[in-house]
Amino acid sequence: MNTETNEVAMKVNQANLVKSLRFSFTNKTTVLGELIQNARRANAAMVVINFCPETKSLQVLDDGCGIESMATLLTVAESGWDADVIVNEHPFGLGFLSALFASRRISVISKSGSIDVETDHILAFKPVTITPVHDWNGITSIALQDVDMEMGQISTTLKRLARGFPIPVLFNDQLLECSCALDGGLTFVDTEIGAIYLHGMDQPNGAQYEFDVYLQGLPIYSSHSYTSNRHIIHLDSSRFHARLPDRDKLVDEADVIKRIKAVLAQTIEQRFIQMKTTLSDEEFVGFYEMLRHWELLKLLNDVPVVPPEALREIIAYPVCDTEVFDNFEQQPDKAMTRIEILARGIVSIDDDIKQDGAGRYLFAWSRDYLLYHGTLDSGHWLHSLVRHLNDEELVIETVNESHQAQFQGDWCWVSVRFCDAYQIRLGQDVVEITADACYQGQENADDIIVPKGDSSAQVLQQMASFRSEYDEFQESTFESDSDAFVAFVVANTASDPANAMQRLLPDFCGCPALYGIAFLVELDQQGKPASVIAYPGIGSNANPSYQHE
C-alpha cells in the first residue's frame, strides 16, 4: 500500500488565460475608456484622440508623465502606477489588454521607448523589441491599426465618456463636452460617498429624480434615462470599486446604489432644510412633488400653507369614471392658508361612486367643501381640520316623492324614484337638492332619485362607466341609454302632453327653414311621427305640407 503524500499548487496557463480574457470585455469600445483613463492617471492636461475611418486607425496622445517601463506595460496584472494611484483607484493592470484585443497592430511611443508590433505577436507571449527614444517630446502616443469600430460608435462613446471626465478630451479636433465633470462649473457637495451635484433645486418645475454615477471620471451607472437633466454623483474611488476587467459595472452594484440613493436623499433633505429658511411658504410648498418623491413631506408639517397637490375642489356634477367623463375634481390653482381652508371646510371621502353612490360627493359639492387628497405626512396640522365623511352615517330622504318606475335601457336597468327634492343627511348636517339626480349605489339602495329640477341623463354617469369587459368605452350604448333615460324622465314627470312634447323636441337651430313656422304633429301608437303639417296661416316662411306615413 502506497502511503506517500503528494503536494500540488495552483498553476496558471498563461496563454489560455489571456486568450479567455478577450471575451471578458463587455464592449469593443472598452478600450477608449481605458486609454483616456491611463492619460488621466499620468497627470495629462489633455488627451487627444484621432480616428481615420478609411484606414481604421486610432491614435491616442497625451502630455502626461509618460510610460516608465514598456516591460510593465506588457505585463498582465501589473499596473505600474505610483502608490497613490494604487491606493485610491485600485488599477487592475489589465487595461492595455483591451487595446491588444481591439486592433491588429499597435505602436507605442513614450519616454521609456517605443514598440511597433502585431498584437497577436504580443498575445502569443513572443519577445517584443523595445526601441530607445532619444529626445522624447513629452507626448505619449498609442496608435492602433485595423480597429474594429465605426466612426459613429467611437464618437458616441467618447462623448459619453468625456461628459464627467476631469481632463479635456479632443476628438478629431473637436473638444468634447465635459459638463458633468467635477470642474465643469457645477457646484458639488462633499458627502460620505463622494461629490454630489443636485440638479433642479432652484425651481419647482426643475426638480429631478434620476441620477448618473461616475467613478474615476467615467460613467458607471445611470438610473432611468427618460430625462437629460439629472443629479450627478462622483463616487470616492478609494471606497468604491469597479468590476474587473472593463469597469463598466460597480462591485456589489445593488447595495452600492441603495446606499447612493440614501445619501442622495439625505443631501436633498439638507438642501431643503436650508431652502426652508430663505423661501416664502408659498415658494417652499411648490417643491411638493420632489419632497414627496424623496419621502420628505414631513418638512411641510409646520408650514402654514398647504400645497395645492394635497387638495381638490369639486367643480362639476360627480360621476363615477373620470377617464371617460369629465373630471369633476380639480386641484386648486394655488397653495391655501389655514384661514382659507377653515372658511371653506375640508372633508375626505373614500366612496367609489359606482359602488357606494354619490351621496357624500353631492353633499360636499353643495357645501363647496374642499377634498383632502390624502398625501401629506401623518404629522401635518391639516389632519386636525379634515372631516371624514365615511365615518358618518349617510341618510338620503326624498321630499314629496310621487312614485317609482323601472328604467330599462340597453346597459342600465334601475329603479327610479321621482320627487320634488331630496335631503342628504350626514351627522347633524342636512343639505336639500332640487336640481341634480343622485345614484345611491350598489352597496346602498341601488336606485336613482330624480328631483323635479333635473330632466337630464347625467345620473347614468354615476351608475355606470359604460366600459366593456375589454375596458372599451361603449359610446353608442351610452348615447342610446342617455336618450332613453331623458324620454323616461319626461314620461314620468310631464304635466301635460304639450309640456312633454316641448321637453322631448330636439334643437332645430341648424335648420333656418323651420324658423318662425307652426306645425301640426301627429304621433302613432309607438310615439313616432305619423304626420307633420305646417300650420296654415302661421309663419312667414310656411312650407308645403310634409306627410310622414
Side-chain angles (χ1 to χ4, degrees), residues 41-60:
R41 286 173 175 160
N43 295 318
M46 174 181 282
V47 57
V48 177
I49 301 174
N50 297 307
F51 178 69
C52 178
E54 290 78 19
T55 62
K56 294 287 187 177
S57 60
L58 179 77
Q59 182 186 43
V60 180

Side-chain angles (χ1 to χ4, degrees), residues 23-64:
F23 307 106
S24 299
F25 293 98
T26 306
N27 299 303
K28 297 176 182 178
T29 54
T30 295
V31 63
L32 301 174
E34 293 292 346
L35 293 177
I36 68 171
Q37 190 70 281
N38 287 344
R40 181 191 64 79
R41 286 173 175 160
N43 295 318
M46 174 181 282
V47 57
V48 177
I49 301 174
N50 297 307
F51 178 69
C52 178
E54 290 78 19
T55 62
K56 294 287 187 177
S57 60
L58 179 77
Q59 182 186 43
V60 180
L61 306 168
D62 74 75
D63 59 353

Side-chain angles (χ1 to χ4, degrees), residues 2 31 142 146 166 182 221 223 243 276 302 329 341 404 409 512:
N2 186 357
V31 63
I142 299 178
D146 290 338
L182 285 169
Y221 179 85
S223 64
R243 187 182 66 183
K276 193 174 179 179
D302 59 350
E329 300 176 10
I341 294 172
Q404 297 185 22

Side-chain angles (χ1 to χ4, degrees), residues 51-336:
F51 178 69
C52 178
E54 290 78 19
T55 62
K56 294 287 187 177
S57 60
L58 179 77
Q59 182 186 43
V60 180
L61 306 168
D62 74 75
D63 59 353
C65 64
I67 300 171
E68 293 289 343
S69 169
M70 286 292 175
T72 301
L73 182 69
L74 297 175
T75 302
V76 176
E78 184 68 41
S79 70
W81 297 109
D82 61 30
D84 286 342
V85 172
I86 291 174
V87 169
N88 292 321
E89 301 193 10
H90 314 285
F92 303 138
L94 295 176
F96 192 66
L97 271 177
S98 64
L100 301 180
F101 293 141
S103 61
R104 178 186 60 80
R105 188 175 187 88
I106 188 166
S107 64
V108 181
I109 302 173
S110 192
K111 68 180 180 182
S112 60
S114 68
I115 61 172
D116 185 4
V117 64
E118 299 283 333
T119 53
D120 285 345
H121 185 91
I122 300 175
L123 293 171
F125 295 92
K126 296 178 180 179
V128 176
T129 300
I130 301 174
T131 303
V133 173
H134 303 291
D135 300 323
W136 180 55
N137 64 0
I139 302 297
T140 293
S141 169
I142 299 178
L144 309 179
Q145 302 296 326
D146 290 338
V147 174
D148 186 18
M149 288 183 282
E150 302 298 327
M151 171 66 84
Q153 189 180 22
I154 294 175
S155 177
T156 299
T157 300
L158 286 175
K159 287 178 181 179
R160 181 176 62 86
L161 297 177
R163 197 170 294 132
F165 208 59
I167 63 173
V169 178
L170 194 70
F171 175 56
N172 282 5
D173 298 323
Q174 178 186 1
L175 186 63
L176 302 184
E177 177 192 348
C178 56
S179 58
C180 298
L182 285 169
D183 59 355
L186 304 177
T187 301
F188 285 86
V189 179
D190 289 330
T191 71
E192 63 185 75
I193 61 171
I196 295 179
Y197 164 72
L198 300 178
H199 177 84
M201 299 293 290
D202 55 341
Q203 52 187 351
N205 59 5
Q208 300 296 329
Y209 316 126
E210 308 305 330
F211 56 91
D212 289 333
V213 182
Y214 294 84
L215 182 64
Q216 299 172 21
L218 296 177
I220 198 164
Y221 179 85
S222 183
S223 64
H224 300 295
S225 57
Y226 58 80
T227 175
S228 59
N229 299 317
R230 313 161 71 79
H231 303 301
I232 305 299
I233 299 159
H234 283 269
L235 293 177
D236 181 347
S237 61
S238 68
R239 305 181 64 180
F240 297 93
H241 313 304
R243 187 182 66 183
L244 183 120
D246 50 5
R247 302 177 233 269
D248 66 335
K249 294 285 185 181
L250 287 161
V251 174
D252 297 326
E253 181 178 85
D255 292 337
V256 173
I257 296 305
K258 183 177 180 180
R259 185 178 175 188
I260 287 173
K261 288 181 178 179
V263 174
L264 180 58
Q266 292 170 7
T267 307
I268 290 173
E269 180 176 10
Q270 292 303 311
R271 176 68 63 84
F272 272 125
I273 291 173
Q274 295 172 4
M275 293 167 58
K276 193 174 179 179
T277 63
T278 60
L279 298 178
S280 69
D281 295 329
E282 288 75 11
E283 289 172 330
F284 186 68
V285 299
F287 288 88
Y288 167 84
E289 287 296 342
M290 195 171 187
L291 289 165
R292 181 188 61 80
H293 176 84
W294 294 104
E295 300 181 357
L296 297 174
L297 288 177
K298 62 184 179 182
L299 296 179
L300 298 177
N301 288 356
D302 59 350
V303 178
V305 299
V306 176
E309 291 88 348
L311 305 171
R312 293 291 184 272
E313 296 175 306
I314 303 179
I315 59 169
Y317 182 74
V319 295
C320 75
D321 192 333
T322 55
E323 292 182 11
V324 172
F325 308 122
D326 291 338
N327 199 331
F328 66 91
E329 300 176 10
Q330 75 174 13
Q331 180 179 298
D333 58 6
K334 66 180 184 65
M336 301 187 70

